[in-house]
Amino acid sequence: MARLDPLLPDAMSAEQRRIHDAILAGPRGKVGGPFPALLRSPVLTDRIQELGAALRFQSSLSPDLRELAILCVARHGDSTVEWNAHVVIALDQGVDQALIAAILGNDQAPDTATPAQGAVLAYCRELCATQSSSDKTYQAALDHVGETGVVELTVMVGYFTLLAMVLNTFKVAPEDRDGVPPAHLRLP
């Protein structure tokens, strides 16, 4: 059961309503996931949603690599809401189901993964586990996505870890409108 009651638009402060409407009008097109909980702190919500929009919609990373990073974080944090929403997006972006299944099972990247996908997955997993990366893992990521890409990946892992914590702490339930992954690609 969710720990916070829904925050209805009519009960929002002017600042909450402004940010709610800005999120709704932005590239997400909806106020879901962590944002209903975050709206309790309008200033934080505004900054957090702006950072997320930059990471998701203005990143130098290709969509498949971006979604792999997000799925890695969602799996590491057992964030069902994050996982469900981003499995659907990853599939839409052409990420191979075998690669998603490998993330789900904490397995090695399959042979079908590109070298860039393998490097990004290794980097994000190591970053989630240790909050840093070894020289070897860092160099492999750098070779495939460049300096800007590694900076964006690092921030993306931190950002989506923040969201996973919000979703898990406030027991936000997955919504069908965010998409439902195929049964074999759902978090246990």
Side-chain angles (χ1 to χ4, degrees):
M1 180 174 203
R3 288 183 167 166
L4 297 173
D5 291 331
L7 187 59
L8 302 175
D10 291 344
M12 292 179 190
S13 70
E15 187 66 3
Q16 287 170 323
R17 185 59 188 242
R18 180 189 70 76
I19 294 164
H20 172 276
D21 292 349
I23 295 169
L24 195 60
R28 288 178 186 87
K30 63 183 177 187
V31 182
F35 295 107
L38 287 170
L39 273 168
R40 270 50 178 206
S41 177
V43 171
L44 290 179
T45 305
D46 199 28
R47 302 314 187 277
I48 290 168
Q49 73 89 14
E50 286 178 0
L51 176 59
L55 288 168
R56 283 196 55 212
F57 305 110
Q58 299 171 347
S59 173
S60 69
L61 298 167
S62 63
D64 65 316
L65 298 180
R66 181 189 68 230
E67 293 304 320
L68 287 180
I70 297 167
L71 288 177
C72 184
V73 172
R75 180 64 185 107
H76 180 78
D78 288 326
S79 178
T80 304
V81 174
E82 208 167 55
W83 179 266
N84 285 1
H86 287 278
V87 164
V88 173
I89 296 168
L91 290 169
D92 286 346
Q93 295 298 330
V95 176
D96 186 59
Q97 287 192 30
L99 184 52
I100 296 169
I103 296 168
L104 179 62
N106 291 313
D107 299 326
Q108 294 297 317
D111 292 339
T112 55
T114 68
Q117 289 172 336
V120 164
L121 182 57
Y123 181 80
C124 293
R125 280 181 167 167
E126 195 169 299
L127 198 56
C128 284
T130 69
Q131 287 73 57
S132 189
S133 69
S134 66
D135 290 342
K136 179 182 176 184
T137 304
Y138 175 84
Q139 189 61 52
L142 185 65
D143 290 346
H144 289 285
V145 299
E147 287 180 344
T148 300
V150 172
V151 169
E152 290 176 358
L153 277 175
T154 304
V155 173
M156 192 168 294
V157 167
Y159 174 81
F160 280 93
T161 298
L162 165 75
L163 296 189
M165 288 179 179
V166 169
L167 292 163
N168 291 347
T169 297
F170 297 107
K171 300 182 185 286
V172 175
E175 296 181 22
D176 286 347
R177 70 181 181 153
D178 291 329
V180 179
H184 67 288
L185 295 178
R186 292 188 191 144
L187 278 176

